Coordinates of all heavy atoms in Angstrom, one line a residue:
S1184 N -108.5 107.5 5.5 CA -109.7 106.7 6.1 C -109.4 106.2 7.5 O -108.4 106.1 7.9 CB -109.9 105.6 5.1 OG -108.9 104.5 5.3
V1185 N -110.7 105.9 8.0 CA -110.6 105.4 9.5 C -111.4 104.1 9.5 O -112.4 103.9 9.0 CB -111.3 106.4 10.3 CG1 -111.3 105.9 11.8 CG2 -110.5 107.8 10.4
T1186 N -110.7 103.1 10.2 CA -111.4 101.8 10.4 C -111.4 101.4 11.8 O -110.4 101.7 12.5 CB -110.7 100.7 9.7 OG1 -110.5 101.1 8.2 CG2 -111.3 99.3 9.8
V1187 N -112.6 101.1 12.4 CA -112.6 100.7 13.8 C -112.9 99.3 13.8 O -113.7 98.7 13.3 CB -113.9 101.5 14.4 CG1 -114.1 101.1 15.9 CG2 -113.6 103.0 14.4
F1188 N -112.1 98.6 14.7 CA -112.3 97.1 14.9 C -111.8 96.7 16.3 O -111.1 97.4 16.8 CB -111.6 96.4 13.8 CG -110.0 96.6 13.8 CD1 -109.2 95.7 14.5 CD2 -109.5 97.7 13.2 CE1 -107.8 95.8 14.5 CE2 -108.1 97.9 13.2 CZ -107.3 96.9 13.9
P1189 N -112.2 95.5 16.8 CA -113.2 94.7 16.2 C -114.6 95.3 16.4 O -114.8 96.2 17.2 CB -113.0 93.4 17.2 CG -112.5 94.0 18.5 CD -111.7 95.2 18.2
N1190 N -115.5 94.8 15.7 CA -116.9 95.2 15.8 C -117.8 94.0 15.6 O -117.9 93.5 14.5 CB -117.2 96.3 14.6 CG -118.4 97.0 14.9 OD1 -119.2 96.9 15.9 ND2 -118.7 97.8 13.9
P1191 N -118.5 93.5 16.5 CA -118.7 94.2 18.0 C -117.3 94.1 18.8 O -116.6 93.3 18.7 CB -119.7 93.4 18.6 CG -119.8 92.1 17.9 CD -119.2 92.3 16.6
A1192 N -117.3 95.0 19.7 CA -116.0 95.1 20.7 C -116.5 94.7 22.0 O -117.7 94.7 22.3 CB -115.5 96.5 20.6
R1193 N -115.5 94.4 22.9 CA -115.8 94.1 24.3 C -115.2 95.2 25.3 O -116.0 96.0 25.9 CB -115.4 92.8 24.7 CG -116.1 91.6 24.1 CD -115.7 90.3 24.4 NE -115.5 90.0 26.0 CZ -116.5 89.6 26.7 NH1 -117.7 89.3 26.1 NH2 -116.4 89.4 27.9
D1194 N -113.9 95.1 25.4 CA -113.2 96.1 26.2 C -112.4 97.2 25.6 O -112.0 98.1 26.3 CB -112.2 95.2 27.0 CG -113.0 94.2 28.0 OD1 -114.1 94.5 28.4 OD2 -112.5 93.0 28.0
K1195 N -112.0 97.0 24.3 CA -111.3 98.0 23.6 C -111.6 98.0 22.1 O -112.1 97.1 21.6 CB -109.8 97.8 23.8 CG -109.2 96.6 23.3 CD -107.8 96.4 23.5 CE -107.4 95.2 22.9 NZ -105.9 94.9 23.0
I1196 N -111.3 99.1 21.4 CA -111.3 99.2 20.1 C -110.0 99.6 19.5 O -109.2 100.3 20.2 CB -112.5 100.2 19.5 CG1 -112.2 101.5 20.1 CG2 -113.8 99.6 19.6 CD1 -113.3 102.6 19.4
N1197 N -109.7 99.2 18.3 CA -108.5 99.7 17.6 C -109.0 100.6 16.4 O -109.9 100.4 15.8 CB -107.7 98.5 17.0 CG -107.2 97.7 18.1 OD1 -106.3 98.0 18.8 ND2 -107.7 96.4 18.2
V1198 N -108.3 101.7 16.3 CA -108.7 102.7 15.3 C -107.5 102.7 14.3 O -106.4 103.1 14.6 CB -109.0 104.0 15.9 CG1 -109.5 105.0 14.7 CG2 -110.1 103.9 16.9
L1199 N -107.8 102.3 13.1 CA -106.7 102.3 12.0 C -106.8 103.7 11.3 O -108.0 103.9 10.7 CB -106.8 101.1 11.2 CG -105.8 100.9 10.2 CD1 -104.4 100.8 10.7 CD2 -106.1 99.7 9.3
L1200 N -105.8 104.4 11.1 CA -105.9 105.7 10.5 C -104.9 105.6 9.3 O -103.7 105.5 9.5 CB -105.4 106.9 11.5 CG -106.0 106.9 12.8 CD1 -105.2 107.8 13.8 CD2 -107.4 107.5 12.6
K1201 N -105.6 105.7 8.1 CA -104.7 105.7 6.9 C -104.9 106.9 6.2 O -105.9 107.5 6.0 CB -105.2 104.5 6.0 CG -104.9 103.2 6.6 CD -105.1 102.1 5.6 CE -104.5 100.8 6.0 NZ -104.0 100.0 5.0
G1202 N -103.7 107.5 5.6 CA -103.6 108.6 4.7 C -104.1 109.9 5.5 O -104.6 110.8 4.9
M1203 N -103.8 110.0 6.7 CA -104.1 111.3 7.5 C -103.1 112.4 6.8 O -102.0 112.2 6.5 CB -103.6 111.2 8.9 CG -104.5 110.1 9.7 SD -106.1 110.6 9.9 CE -106.9 109.6 8.7
V1204 N -103.7 113.6 6.8 CA -103.1 114.7 6.1 C -102.3 115.6 7.2 O -101.5 116.4 6.8 CB -103.9 115.5 5.3 CG1 -104.5 114.8 4.2 CG2 -105.1 116.1 6.1
T1205 N -102.6 115.4 8.4 CA -102.0 116.2 9.6 C -101.5 115.2 10.6 O -101.8 114.0 10.6 CB -103.0 117.1 10.2 OG1 -104.1 116.4 10.9 CG2 -103.6 118.1 9.2
K1206 N -100.7 115.6 11.4 CA -100.1 114.7 12.5 C -100.9 114.7 13.7 O -100.6 114.0 14.6 CB -98.7 115.2 12.8 CG -97.8 114.9 11.7 CD -96.3 115.2 12.2 CE -95.3 114.9 11.0 NZ -93.9 115.0 11.5
N1207 N -102.0 115.5 13.8 CA -102.9 115.5 15.0 C -104.3 115.3 14.5 O -104.8 115.8 13.6 CB -102.6 116.9 15.7 CG -101.3 117.1 16.0 OD1 -100.6 116.3 16.6 ND2 -100.7 118.2 15.6
I1208 N -105.0 114.5 15.4 CA -106.6 114.3 15.3 C -107.1 114.5 16.6 O -106.6 114.3 17.6 CB -106.8 113.0 14.5 CG1 -106.5 111.8 15.6 CG2 -106.2 112.8 13.2 CD1 -107.2 110.6 15.1
S1209 N -108.4 114.9 16.5 CA -109.3 114.9 17.6 C -110.3 113.8 17.3 O -110.6 113.5 16.3 CB -110.0 116.2 17.9 OG -110.7 116.7 16.9
W1210 N -110.8 113.3 18.5 CA -111.8 112.1 18.4 C -112.8 112.2 19.6 O -112.5 112.9 20.5 CB -111.0 110.8 18.3 CG -110.2 110.5 19.7 CD1 -108.9 110.8 19.7 CD2 -110.7 110.0 20.8 NE1 -108.6 110.5 21.0 CE2 -109.5 109.9 21.7 CE3 -111.9 109.5 21.3 CZ2 -109.7 109.5 23.0 CZ3 -112.0 109.1 22.7 CH2 -110.8 109.1 23.5
E1211 N -114.0 111.6 19.3 CA -115.0 111.5 20.3 C -115.7 110.3 20.1 O -115.9 109.8 19.0 CB -115.8 112.7 20.3 CG -116.7 112.9 19.1 CD -117.4 114.2 19.0 OE1 -117.1 115.2 19.5 OE2 -118.5 114.2 18.5
I1212 N -116.1 109.7 21.4 CA -117.0 108.6 21.3 C -118.4 108.9 21.9 O -118.3 109.5 23.0 CB -116.4 107.3 22.0 CG1 -115.1 106.9 21.3 CG2 -117.5 106.2 22.1 CD1 -114.4 105.8 22.0
A1213 N -119.5 108.7 21.2 CA -120.8 109.1 21.6 C -121.7 107.9 21.4 O -121.6 107.1 20.6 CB -121.2 110.3 20.9
D1214 N -122.8 108.0 22.1 CA -123.9 107.0 22.0 C -124.8 107.4 20.8 O -124.6 108.6 20.2 CB -124.7 106.6 23.2 CG -125.5 107.8 23.7 OD1 -125.6 108.8 23.1 OD2 -125.9 107.7 24.9
V1215 N -125.8 106.6 20.3 CA -126.7 106.9 19.3 C -127.6 108.2 19.5 O -128.0 108.8 18.6 CB -127.5 105.8 18.8 CG1 -126.6 104.7 18.2 CG2 -128.4 105.2 19.9
A1216 N -127.7 108.5 20.8 CA -128.4 109.7 21.2 C -127.6 111.0 21.1 O -128.1 112.1 21.2 CB -129.0 109.6 22.6
G1217 N -126.3 110.8 20.9 CA -125.4 111.9 20.8 C -124.7 112.3 22.0 O -123.9 113.3 21.9
D1218 N -125.0 111.6 23.0 CA -124.2 111.9 24.4 C -122.8 111.5 24.3 O -122.5 110.4 23.9 CB -125.0 111.2 25.4 CG -126.4 111.8 25.8 OD1 -126.5 113.0 25.5 OD2 -127.2 111.0 26.1
K1219 N -121.8 112.4 24.5 CA -120.4 112.1 24.4 C -120.0 111.4 25.7 O -120.2 111.9 26.8 CB -119.7 113.4 24.2 CG -119.9 114.0 22.8 CD -119.2 115.2 22.7 CE -119.6 116.0 21.5 NZ -119.0 117.3 21.2
F1220 N -119.2 110.3 25.5 CA -118.7 109.6 26.7 C -117.1 109.8 26.7 O -116.6 109.7 27.9 CB -119.0 108.1 26.5 CG -120.5 107.9 26.9 CD1 -121.4 107.9 25.7 CD2 -121.0 107.9 28.1 CE1 -122.7 107.7 26.0 CE2 -122.4 107.6 28.4 CZ -123.2 107.5 27.3
K1221 N -116.5 109.9 25.6 CA -115.1 110.1 25.6 C -114.6 111.0 24.5 O -115.2 110.9 23.5 CB -114.3 108.7 25.5 CG -114.4 107.8 26.4 CD -113.7 106.4 26.2 CE -113.8 105.5 27.4 NZ -112.4 105.2 27.8
T1222 N -113.7 111.8 24.8 CA -113.0 112.7 23.9 C -111.5 112.7 24.1 O -111.1 112.4 25.1 CB -113.6 114.2 23.9 OG1 -113.2 114.6 25.3 CG2 -115.0 114.2 23.8
G1223 N -110.9 113.2 23.0 CA -109.3 113.2 23.1 C -108.7 113.7 21.9 O -109.3 113.9 20.9
N1224 N -107.4 113.6 22.0 CA -106.6 114.0 20.8 C -105.4 113.0 20.7 O -105.1 112.5 21.7 CB -105.9 115.4 21.0 CG -106.9 116.5 21.2 OD1 -107.7 116.7 20.2 ND2 -107.0 117.2 22.2
A1225 N -105.0 112.7 19.5 CA -104.0 111.9 19.1 C -102.9 112.8 18.5 O -103.3 113.5 17.5 CB -104.4 110.8 18.3
T1226 N -101.7 112.8 19.0 CA -100.6 113.7 18.3 C -99.5 112.9 17.9 O -99.3 111.8 18.3 CB -100.2 114.8 19.5 OG1 -99.6 114.0 20.5 CG2 -101.3 115.6 19.9
N1227 N -98.8 113.5 17.0 CA -97.6 113.0 16.3 C -97.9 111.7 15.7 O -97.1 110.8 15.8 CB -96.4 112.9 17.4 CG -96.0 114.2 17.9 OD1 -96.0 115.1 17.1 ND2 -95.8 114.3 19.2
I1228 N -99.0 111.5 15.0 CA -99.3 110.2 14.3 C -98.7 110.3 12.9 O -98.5 111.5 12.3 CB -100.9 110.0 14.2 CG1 -101.7 111.2 13.4 CG2 -101.5 109.9 15.6 CD1 -103.0 110.9 13.1
S1229 N -98.4 109.2 12.4 CA -97.8 109.1 11.1 C -99.0 109.0 10.0 O -100.1 108.9 10.4 CB -96.9 107.9 11.0 OG -97.6 106.7 11.2
K1230 N -98.7 109.0 8.7 CA -99.7 109.0 7.8 C -100.6 107.6 8.0 O -101.7 107.8 7.7 CB -99.0 108.9 6.4 CG -99.9 108.9 5.2 CD -99.2 108.9 3.9 CE -100.1 109.0 2.8 NZ -99.5 109.0 1.5
D1231 N -100.0 106.5 8.4 CA -100.7 105.3 8.6 C -100.4 104.9 10.0 O -99.4 104.5 10.4 CB -100.4 104.2 7.8 CG -100.7 104.6 6.1 OD1 -101.7 105.4 6.1 OD2 -100.1 104.1 5.3
S1232 N -101.4 105.0 11.1 CA -101.2 104.6 12.4 C -102.4 103.8 13.0 O -103.4 103.8 12.3 CB -101.1 106.0 13.2 OG -100.0 106.7 12.8
K1233 N -102.2 103.2 14.1 CA -103.2 102.5 14.7 C -103.2 103.1 16.3 O -102.1 103.1 16.8 CB -103.0 101.0 14.8 CG -104.1 100.3 15.3 CD -104.0 98.7 15.3 CE -103.0 98.3 16.3 NZ -103.0 96.8 16.4
I1234 N -104.3 103.4 16.9 CA -104.5 103.8 18.2 C -105.5 102.8 18.8 O -106.4 102.3 18.2 CB -104.8 105.3 18.3 CG1 -106.1 105.7 17.6 CG2 -103.7 106.2 17.9 CD1 -106.6 107.1 17.8
E1235 N -105.3 102.6 20.2 CA -106.3 101.7 20.9 C -106.9 102.5 21.9 O -106.3 103.4 22.6 CB -105.4 100.6 21.6 CG -106.1 99.6 22.3 CD -105.3 98.6 22.8 OE1 -104.5 97.8 22.1 OE2 -105.0 98.6 24.2
K1236 N -108.3 102.3 22.1 CA -109.1 103.1 23.0 C -109.8 102.1 23.9 O -110.4 101.0 23.4 CB -110.1 103.9 22.3 CG -109.5 105.1 21.5 CD -108.8 106.0 22.5 CE -107.8 106.8 21.8 NZ -106.9 107.4 22.7
S1237 N -109.6 102.3 25.3 CA -110.4 101.4 26.2 C -111.9 101.7 26.3 O -112.4 102.9 26.1 CB -109.7 101.6 27.5 OG -110.5 101.0 28.5
L1238 N -112.7 100.7 26.4 CA -114.1 100.9 26.4 C -114.7 100.3 27.9 O -115.9 100.1 28.0 CB -114.8 100.1 25.3 CG -114.4 100.4 23.9 CD1 -115.0 99.4 23.0 CD2 -114.7 101.8 23.6
Y1239 N -113.7 100.3 28.8 CA -114.1 99.6 30.0 C -115.3 100.2 30.8 O -116.0 99.5 31.4 CB -112.8 99.3 31.0 CG -112.5 100.7 31.7 CD1 -113.0 100.9 32.9 CD2 -111.7 101.5 30.9 CE1 -112.5 102.2 33.6 CE2 -111.3 102.8 31.6 CZ -111.7 103.0 32.9 OH -111.4 104.2 33.5
N1240 N -115.5 101.5 30.7 CA -116.5 102.1 31.5 C -117.8 102.4 30.7 O -118.6 103.1 31.2 CB -116.0 103.4 32.1 CG -115.6 104.4 31.0 OD1 -115.2 104.1 29.9 ND2 -115.6 105.7 31.5
L1241 N -117.9 101.8 29.5 CA -119.0 102.0 28.6 C -120.0 100.8 28.6 O -119.4 99.7 28.7 CB -118.7 102.3 27.2 CG -117.8 103.5 26.9 CD1 -117.5 103.7 25.6 CD2 -118.6 104.8 27.4
K1242 N -121.3 101.0 28.6 CA -122.2 99.9 28.7 C -122.3 99.3 27.1 O -122.0 99.9 26.3 CB -123.6 100.4 29.1 CG -123.6 100.9 30.5 CD -125.0 101.5 30.8 CE -125.1 102.2 32.2 NZ -126.3 102.8 32.5
S1243 N -122.9 98.2 27.2 CA -123.3 97.5 25.9 C -124.1 98.4 25.2 O -125.1 99.1 25.8 CB -123.9 96.2 26.1 OG -123.0 95.2 26.7
G1244 N -124.0 98.5 23.9 CA -124.8 99.3 23.0 C -124.2 99.8 21.8 O -123.1 99.3 21.4
V1245 N -124.8 100.7 21.0 CA -124.3 101.1 19.8 C -123.6 102.6 19.9 O -124.3 103.4 20.6 CB -125.4 101.2 18.7 CG1 -124.9 101.9 17.4 CG2 -126.1 99.9 18.5
Y1246 N -122.4 102.7 19.5 CA -121.7 104.0 19.6 C -121.2 104.5 18.3 O -121.1 103.7 17.4 CB -120.6 103.8 20.6 CG -121.1 103.4 22.0 CD1 -121.4 102.2 22.4 CD2 -121.1 104.5 23.0 CE1 -121.8 102.0 23.7 CE2 -121.5 104.3 24.3 CZ -121.9 103.0 24.6 OH -122.2 102.6 25.8
T1247 N -120.8 105.7 18.2 CA -120.1 106.3 17.1 C -118.8 106.8 17.5 O -118.6 107.3 18.7 CB -120.9 107.3 16.4 OG1 -121.1 108.4 17.3 CG2 -122.2 106.9 15.9
M1248 N -117.8 106.8 16.6 CA -116.5 107.4 16.9 C -116.3 108.4 15.7 O -116.4 108.0 14.6 CB -115.3 106.3 16.9 CG -114.0 107.1 17.0 SD -112.8 106.0 17.7 CE -111.6 107.2 18.1
R1249 N -116.2 109.6 16.2 CA -115.8 110.7 15.2 C -114.4 111.2 15.3 O -113.9 111.3 16.4 CB -116.8 111.9 15.3 CG -116.5 113.1 14.4 CD -117.3 114.3 14.7 NE -118.8 114.0 14.8 CZ -119.6 113.9 13.7 NH1 -119.1 114.3 12.5 NH2 -120.9 113.7 13.8
S1250 N -113.7 111.1 14.2 CA -112.4 111.5 14.0 C -112.2 112.7 13.1 O -112.8 112.7 12.1 CB -111.4 110.4 13.5 OG -111.7 109.2 14.3
I1251 N -111.4 113.8 13.6 CA -111.3 114.9 12.7 C -109.8 115.2 12.6 O -109.0 115.3 13.7 CB -111.9 116.1 13.4 CG1 -113.5 115.9 13.5 CG2 -111.8 117.4 12.5 CD1 -114.2 116.7 14.4
D1252 N -109.3 115.4 11.5 CA -107.8 115.7 11.3 C -107.5 117.1 10.9 O -106.4 117.5 10.5 CB -107.2 114.6 10.3 CG -107.5 114.9 8.8 OD1 -108.3 115.8 8.6 OD2 -107.0 114.2 8.0
G1253 N -108.5 118.0 11.0 CA -108.3 119.4 10.6 C -108.8 119.7 9.2 O -109.2 120.8 8.8
V1254 N -108.9 118.6 8.4 CA -109.3 118.8 7.0 C -110.5 118.0 6.7 O -111.6 118.4 6.2 CB -108.2 118.5 6.1 CG1 -108.7 118.5 4.5 CG2 -107.1 119.4 6.2
N1255 N -110.5 116.8 7.3 CA -111.6 115.8 7.0 C -112.2 115.3 8.3 O -111.5 115.3 9.4 CB -110.8 114.4 6.3 CG -110.4 114.9 4.9 OD1 -111.1 115.3 4.1 ND2 -109.0 114.6 4.8
S1256 N -113.4 114.7 8.2 CA -114.1 114.1 9.3 C -114.6 112.8 9.0 O -115.1 112.6 7.9 CB -115.2 115.1 9.8 OG -115.9 114.6 10.9
W1257 N -114.5 111.9 9.9 CA -115.0 110.4 9.6 C -115.9 110.1 10.8 O -115.5 110.4 12.0 CB -113.8 109.5 9.7 CG -112.8 109.7 8.5 CD1 -113.0 109.2 7.2 CD2 -111.8 110.5 8.5 NE1 -112.1 109.6 6.5 CE2 -111.2 110.4 7.1 CE3 -111.1 111.3 9.4 CZ2 -110.1 111.0 6.8 CZ3 -109.9 111.9 9.0 CH2 -109.4 111.8 7.7
L1258 N -116.9 109.5 10.5 CA -117.9 109.0 11.6 C -118.0 107.4 11.4 O -118.4 106.9 10.3 CB -119.3 109.6 11.4 CG -120.2 109.3 12.5 CD1 -119.8 109.8 13.9 CD2 -121.6 109.9 12.1
K1259 N -117.6 106.5 12.4 CA -117.9 105.2 12.3 C -118.6 104.6 13.4 O -118.5 105.1 14.6 CB -116.4 104.6 12.5 CG -115.4 104.9 11.3 CD -115.9 104.4 10.0 CE -115.0 104.8 8.8 NZ -115.4 104.3 7.6
R1260 N -119.5 103.7 13.2 CA -120.5 103.2 14.2 C -119.8 101.8 14.6 O -119.3 101.1 13.8 CB -121.7 102.9 13.5 CG -122.8 102.5 14.5 CD -124.2 102.5 13.9 NE -124.6 103.9 13.8 CZ -125.8 104.3 13.6 NH1 -126.7 103.4 13.3 NH2 -126.1 105.5 13.6
F1261 N -119.8 101.5 15.9 CA -119.5 100.3 16.5 C -120.4 99.9 17.6 O -121.1 100.6 18.0 CB -118.0 100.3 16.9 CG -117.6 101.2 18.0 CD1 -117.6 100.7 19.3 CD2 -117.6 102.6 17.8 CE1 -117.3 101.5 20.3 CE2 -117.2 103.3 18.9 CZ -117.1 102.8 20.1
V1262 N -120.4 98.6 17.9 CA -121.2 97.9 18.9 C -120.4 97.5 20.1 O -119.3 96.9 19.8 CB -122.0 96.8 18.4 CG1 -122.8 96.2 19.4 CG2 -122.9 97.3 17.2
I1263 N -120.8 97.7 21.2 CA -120.0 97.0 22.4 C -121.0 96.0 22.8 O -122.3 96.2 23.2 CB -119.9 98.1 23.6 CG1 -119.0 99.2 23.2 CG2 -119.3 97.4 24.8 CD1 -118.6 100.3 24.2
A1264 N -120.6 94.7 22.9 CA -121.3 93.5 23.3 C -120.6 92.9 24.4 O -119.5 92.3 24.2 CB -121.6 92.8 22.1
R1265 N -121.1 92.9 25.6 CA -120.5 92.1 26.7 C -121.3 90.9 27.1 O -122.5 90.9 27.2 CB -120.2 93.0 27.8 CG -119.3 94.1 27.5 CD -118.8 94.9 28.7 NE -117.6 95.6 28.4 CZ -117.8 97.0 28.2 NH1 -118.7 97.7 28.6 NH2 -116.7 97.7 27.9

């Protein structure tokens, strides 16, 4: 499972990854219109991990974070409020 916090966020989000079946995931952050603003990969993660993502260059608004571990895909919505 994937949990994104805090929500609403200001400058960063934490992504808690639980029960990952692979050691690598890809992720993307997009706005509600589907425009992608950030993408990347996390490698060598353990079954339960936490990663931190900076939001410093994103405007206030509603975003989604999609995480894919090769088998499963998760979509989480979060808000940036400044």
Side-chain angles (χ1 to χ4, degrees):
S1184 68
V1185 176
T1186 304
V1187 175
F1188 64 95
N1190 195 7
R1193 290 182 52 89
D1194 300 319
K1195 66 180 179 180
I1196 56 171
N1197 295 292
V1198 182
L1199 185 60
L1200 307 164
K1201 286 195 169 209
M1203 296 291 108
V1204 296
T1205 64
K1206 293 186 176 191
N1207 303 307
I1208 65 161
S1209 60
W1210 57 269
E1211 64 186 34
I1212 295 175
D1214 64 11
V1215 291
D1218 296 325
K1219 294 178 188 174
F1220 290 94
K1221 292 183 173 241
T1222 61
N1224 295 300
T1226 58
N1227 296 321
I1228 60 171
S1229 63
K1230 185 176 178 182
D1231 298 328
S1232 297
K1233 183 175 84 169
I1234 55 176
E1235 183 178 292
K1236 294 296 160 199
S1237 173
L1238 305 173
Y1239 75 93
N1240 62 340
L1241 299 177
K1242 297 177 185 176
S1243 294
V1245 179
Y1246 294 84
T1247 59
M1248 177 156 193
R1249 179 181 305 273
S1250 306
I1251 303 165
D1252 73 358
V1254 176
N1255 300 299
S1256 175
W1257 296 270
L1258 185 67
K1259 298 295 179 179
R1260 185 172 287 193
F1261 67 95
V1262 174
I1263 298 175
R1265 295 199 170 106

